Amino acid sequence: MAKGLFPRAWVKKSFYFQARISFVRVKYLFLTWLTVLVGSWVLYVQYSAYTEVCRGHECKNAICDQYRKGIIDGSACSSLCDKETLYLGRCQSTLPNKQVYTGSWGDHDGIIRCKLGELLHYELGEEPEPRREIPVFDKPTKGTSVEKFKEMVFNHLKSKLGEQANLASLVSQILSVADGNRDGRVSLPEARSTWALLQMDEVLLGLLLQDRGHTPRLMGYCGDLYMTERVPYGPLYGLSLPWPLVAWVPSSLQRTIDQWFTPSWPRKAKISMGLLELVEDIFHGTYGSFLICDLAAAHFGYTDRHEIRLTNTGAVVSEDEFRRTMRVLKCETDADCVYGVDCRTSCNVSEKRCREEPIQPNLAKACGALKDYILRGAPSAMREELERQLYACMALKGNAGQMNMEHSLILNNLKALLWRQISHTKDS
């Protein structure tokens, strides 16, 4: 009886063993299939997003088509379209209609930007349709004289910056940029490219601030495609986390991590002085006053010499334009009176209109952005005084134009304090 049971038990155990192996195989087969399916879906989504957002070839083709037809011209057109010595490198675009690429032009590296129309929906595997938009290169029209073009530029600047005493000199500076081939005259195609560039506020503001070294230098342009010098280090501080991690990292931990990825303190002091000088230069500057409406670290970078650069001039607005915008803005509470990210005014509840006066000047916001950055690692002998001055700076309220003395005093004290600490070092 025992002998008969042994084969039966062995067969039964063998059956269960084989069944378990089959189950494990099916399980792993299913997991493998699921992994391939999910991976394929992620690749599809990534590829679709890339092809929709990164459209540099389309941008170049559209620009070169207009150049070859003789509609536009500029200092970069020949290199981009004929010689092909201006290359588009890595895509950095985040929006389909605003193309941003790293680029190289001969021995120079830079950032290339170009505008595109909205992309219509298309299926994977199909070619994106070319941009469909009203032509941006239709002004000035054929027969427009240089004097008439100068008048057009002057009126455009006046509409953007308000009445300024030095607008005529700014017009001359822009006409010098417009003469792309340096032949002493501005042709109609060059004028069309320049006019298209001036319609983009970030280009105009970049030109206003580049003479003082606050923004990357404009290296060349063709139509509304333009290249600026590359800022080697950015953002100003911190680490750009991959987007899946951003939602999971607490803001307090993010701020701590940000402080780990910064230069040495003397170099931070020099960078901070650069930001204070930027604030000083746009406070009643040559072409009026400007407001920085987003002082995020991501909008700034610095050079090998630790000189700060404002890499996103779209965060800057002229005070004249700011006032015009807020004047017509309806509101129920102060929360409705916001321009950009952090340019705020108060609400006149009785009239349900926003007031024109900014609540916080640039200097107060700059000090708030610098507080954690510059206090970390500060020499103990001056840390207390530095902290006191930063908090006094952050407490500034109201329109800075109404308190020139206090604004200038705090600014100069901060710069002097930092300079005393680094003037004897190689970083100065």
Side-chain angles (χ1 to χ4, degrees):
M1 185 71 180
K3 289 182 179 179
L5 286 174
F6 178 74
R8 187 179 301 173
W10 184 84
V11 170
K12 192 173 183 180
K13 185 180 290 187
S14 176
F15 172 77
Y16 283 131
F17 182 69
Q18 289 179 358
R20 182 169 180 79
I21 291 177
S22 299
F23 172 75
V24 171
R25 284 177 176 172
V26 170
K27 180 181 176 181
Y28 279 106
L29 184 62
F30 172 75
L31 290 175
T32 303
W33 173 82
L34 185 62
T35 302
V36 171
L37 180 65
V38 172
S40 300
W41 179 80
V42 170
L43 288 174
Y44 170 81
V45 170
Q46 291 292 326
Y47 178 78
S48 298
Y50 180 87
T51 53
E52 183 173 343
V53 173
C54 297
R55 303 157 60 197
H57 66 287
E58 184 183 343
C59 186
K60 178 184 175 181
N61 291 342
I63 289 292
C64 290
D65 179 61
Q66 299 289 299
Y67 165 66
R68 293 186 180 110
K69 290 177 179 177
I71 297 172
I72 59 173
D73 200 355
S75 55
C77 289
S78 177
S79 298
L80 178 71
C81 305
D82 294 336
K83 301 175 184 176
E84 296 191 351
T85 54
L86 196 163
Y87 301 99
L88 275 69
R90 188 175 72 256
C91 175
Q92 297 183 337
S93 308
T94 56
L95 295 171
N97 61 336
K98 292 185 178 180
Q99 294 297 292
V100 183
Y101 279 76
T102 60
S104 61
W105 189 0
D107 297 330
H108 302 286
D109 294 330
I111 299 295
I112 298 172
R113 291 179 170 86
C114 179
K115 286 178 65 178
L116 279 175
E118 293 296 339
L119 183 66
L120 301 179
H121 178 73
Y122 65 96
E123 297 298 329
L124 186 66
E126 295 180 1
E127 282 295 315
E129 295 186 36
R131 60 175 174 180
R132 296 178 179 178
E133 58 183 12
I134 299 172
V136 294
F137 308 123
D138 56 349
K139 291 182 181 179
T141 56
K142 191 173 182 179
T144 302
S145 65
V146 174
E147 288 303 316
K148 179 63 178 175
F149 180 59
K150 289 172 66 175
E151 183 182 338
M152 287 173 60
V153 172
F154 182 89
N155 290 333
H156 178 71
L157 297 176
K158 185 177 177 182
S159 70
K160 291 291 183 181
L161 306 176
E163 292 280 358
Q164 303 296 333
N166 297 307
L167 283 186
S169 64
L170 181 57
V171 171
S172 298
Q173 178 187 335
I174 289 173
L175 288 181
S176 175
V177 172
D179 182 13
N181 58 6
R182 296 288 181 263
D183 64 352
R185 54 184 291 274
V186 179
S187 65
L188 181 61
E190 288 174 334
R192 285 177 177 147
S193 289
T194 306
W195 185 254
L197 288 177
L198 291 178
Q199 306 315 301
M200 296 184 280
D201 290 345
E202 65 269 23
V203 177
L204 174 57
L205 290 165
L207 289 171
L208 293 179
L209 297 172
Q210 75 174 11
D211 284 348
R212 299 285 294 176
H214 296 309
T215 56
R217 181 173 55 87
L218 178 66
M219 299 174 66
Y221 64 92
C222 184
D224 55 6
L225 177 148
Y226 64 99
M227 180 173 175
T228 56
E229 65 180 346
R230 187 177 72 89
V231 178
Y233 302 102
L236 182 60
Y237 57 82
L239 181 67
S240 298
L241 295 174
W243 66 265
L245 297 179
V246 171
W248 297 96
V249 178
S251 57
S252 57
L253 179 58
Q254 176 70 58
R255 286 195 296 271
T256 303
I257 294 174
D258 284 347
Q259 298 307 318
W260 295 344
F261 295 89
T262 57
S264 64
W265 191 87
R267 291 173 175 174
K268 288 196 293 185
K270 183 175 182 180
I271 292 167
S272 299
M273 285 185 64
L275 180 56
L276 295 174
E277 287 170 357
L278 166 63
V279 169
E280 184 176 26
D281 285 343
I282 66 176
F283 173 61
H284 293 329
T286 307
Y287 303 110
S289 296
F290 296 85
L291 298 173
I292 305 177
C293 291
D294 188 358
L295 264 161
H299 300 325
F300 296 88
Y302 56 94
T303 68
D304 293 319
R305 295 169 57 86
H306 299 93
E307 297 167 338
I308 198 169
R309 294 289 186 271
L310 174 62
T311 54
N312 179 17
T313 50
V316 180
V317 62
S318 73
E319 189 172 325
D320 188 75
E321 184 174 342
F322 173 79
R323 288 175 177 274
R324 286 200 307 268
T325 302
M326 303 312 291
R327 193 182 301 148
V328 298
L329 199 60
K330 295 180 180 180
C331 64
E332 297 289 338
T333 66
D334 289 351
D336 299 323
C337 300
V338 183
Y339 186 104
V341 173
D342 56 14
C343 284
R344 303 174 182 275
T345 68
S346 57
C347 178
N348 187 330
V349 180
S350 60
E351 297 181 5
K352 295 189 181 298
R353 295 277 183 182
C354 293
R355 294 186 174 91
E356 299 178 20
E357 304 294 337
I359 291 175
Q360 195 177 32
N362 289 324
L363 183 58
K365 292 188 288 186
C367 289
L370 288 174
K371 181 174 71 68
D372 293 338
Y373 177 72
I374 196 65
L375 284 177
R376 181 181 175 86
S380 55
M382 55 90 70
R383 181 185 170 86
E384 185 177 342
E385 175 63 15
L386 177 60
E387 188 171 15
R388 186 189 67 78
Q389 290 196 25
L390 284 170
Y391 275 104
C393 173
M394 290 163 59
L396 286 170
K397 298 290 183 184
N399 179 18
Q402 296 176 347
M403 50 180 182
N404 289 340
M405 187 71 72
E406 185 179 5
H407 183 279
S408 298
L409 184 63
I410 289 176
L411 180 62
N412 291 333
N413 285 344
L414 266 173
K415 287 172 60 180
L417 181 63
L418 294 173
W419 177 250
R420 282 198 301 271
Q421 291 296 318
I422 66 169
S423 57
H424 61 283
T425 68
K426 63 180 182 180
D427 297 301
S428 61

